[in-house]
Amino acid sequence: MNTLSRIDPAFIEGSRGPLFALHHPPALVNDTTECIVVVPSFAEEMNRCRYMQTLLAQELRKQNHALLSVDPFGTGDSAGDFSEASWNQWVEDTISAANYAEQLGYKRISFLAVRLGALLAMAAAPSINNLERIIFWQPVTNGKATLNQFLRIKIAAAMGRDEKAETTAHLEKLLSQGKNIEVAGYDVSPPLFQGIQSAHINNHLETTSIPITWFTVLASEERNTPRGDVQTIEKWRNQGAEINHQTVIGPAFWQAHERTLAPNLITATMDYIKGSDIHG
């Protein structure tokens, strides 16, 4: 079998049921092999980012590294329904994914945190033994802002059907009353909503010992990194954090409905990993 196309699927043990894992192993695992564990984004973004992860896995194998992706509870092919998911559960599932990488024999384990996965990764990081580093792809720094964007999908859909206009305040009130809301086919529970709403990158300023490489994807050379992200990076650095921030030019692949690739992001990520292999 061509090792660049080998994928080992498995169901691993999660705290509320089996979680579906896809392991992209290299030809040979040794002490320098690094396993990159994907911490996925939220809702439809999770699916839109899968092909980029596959492309990265193919490049990682060429350097004798691995990629592991695990669907959190209630998503993908893992146990449970989305309506049963919670933020704390997903943090536990992130820890379970890292533990599984260790069980596979990898001595070097890192996170690839995509979008909202950045906040999950930071919440899980203190519970991971010897986590080597975290790579951010277009990280979300404020869970509340993500939810507001998500709720606007529902509001826009209602307006498009000439239905009574809903507001984010009304939807949040329903959730506060213990009711689930359905947005773009996703049944969101109050525990999940409230967990994401309270998630913020500033909650993790104490996690300064783990090196972070933060990739920002910009639509063109004329664009700049969002001011809030720049301020967060500087704030973390002032706390002693090791943050390597890089920008790449490419499309917003996490937003596109059709398969969209950002090859510059793959190249930049691999250049970073290859450049740091001398320390492995």
Side-chain angles (χ1 to χ4, degrees):
M1 178 183 290
N2 181 352
T3 58
L4 291 183
S5 60
R6 178 184 164 191
I7 302 176
D8 293 340
F11 282 98
I12 69 172
E13 184 178 347
S15 60
R16 290 186 64 188
L19 304 175
F20 182 69
L22 280 179
H23 174 216
H24 302 253
L28 176 67
V29 176
N30 56 38
D31 288 352
T32 65
T33 303
E34 184 173 0
C35 183
I36 306 292
V37 178
V38 177
V39 189
S41 190
F42 175 63
E44 201 55 38
E45 285 190 4
M46 178 180 175
N47 297 320
R48 292 169 182 161
C49 296
R50 287 189 190 274
Y51 195 62
M52 281 286 289
Q53 294 163 200
T54 300
L55 289 182
L56 180 64
Q58 292 171 356
E59 296 303 316
L60 285 167
R61 281 176 169 144
K62 295 176 184 178
Q63 302 300 318
N64 203 49
H65 298 313
L67 184 136
L68 174 68
S69 65
V70 176
D71 295 340
F73 179 84
T75 72
D77 292 313
S78 290
D81 294 326
F82 194 88
S83 60
E84 302 173 293
S86 70
W87 182 256
N88 289 340
Q89 180 63 52
W90 285 354
V91 174
E92 287 186 29
D93 296 340
T94 303
I95 297 168
S96 295
N99 290 341
Y100 181 60
E102 191 173 11
Q103 292 168 22
L104 289 171
Y106 294 106
K107 296 183 178 179
R108 300 178 61 201
I109 297 172
S110 299
F111 280 152
L112 169 65
V114 185
R115 301 286 290 145
L116 189 66
L119 294 174
L120 276 175
M122 296 307 297
S127 300
I128 309 300
N129 293 327
N130 302 317
L131 184 66
E132 187 153 310
R133 55 184 162 192
I134 301 175
I135 299 169
F136 286 168
W137 275 4
Q138 200 72 13
V140 167
T141 60
N142 182 352
K144 187 172 183 178
T146 293
L147 286 175
N148 286 339
Q149 294 171 3
F150 189 61
L151 293 179
R152 281 198 287 268
I153 296 173
K154 183 174 179 65
I155 294 168
M159 293 174 63
R161 295 190 297 266
D162 291 327
E163 297 175 356
K164 180 181 177 181
E166 295 183 282
T167 64
T168 55
H170 172 67
L171 295 173
E172 289 181 11
K173 182 178 179 181
L174 292 176
L175 287 156
S176 70
Q177 295 170 347
K179 299 175 183 177
N180 286 22
I181 61 170
E182 187 274 329
V183 181
Y186 292 91
D187 194 5
V188 182
S189 70
L192 179 58
F193 186 92
Q194 291 158 7
I196 296 175
Q197 191 174 48
S198 63
H200 197 288
I201 207 79
N202 287 342
N203 297 341
H204 307 288
L205 284 172
E206 75 283 354
T207 313
T208 57
S209 61
I210 302 170
I212 294 171
T213 292
W214 177 321
F215 288 100
T216 298
V217 180
L218 303 176
S220 68
E221 295 282 359
E222 290 72 37
R223 299 292 182 90
N224 296 313
T225 301
R227 180 179 297 180
D229 289 359
V230 172
Q231 291 173 341
T232 296
I233 291 168
E234 289 307 312
K235 187 174 183 179
W236 267 14
R237 285 173 174 165
N238 290 338
Q239 293 283 335
E242 181 184 337
I243 299 183
N244 168 24
H245 179 235
Q246 299 185 35
T247 59
V248 298
I249 306 303
F253 58 91
W254 59 92
Q255 292 178 341
H257 292 286
E258 67 284 348
R259 180 183 290 179
T260 302
L261 304 178
N264 290 346
L265 179 58
I266 301 290
T267 300
T269 302
M270 288 308 304
D271 285 348
Y272 160 66
I273 291 172
K274 287 186 286 188
S276 59
D277 275 349
I278 57 174
H279 304 297

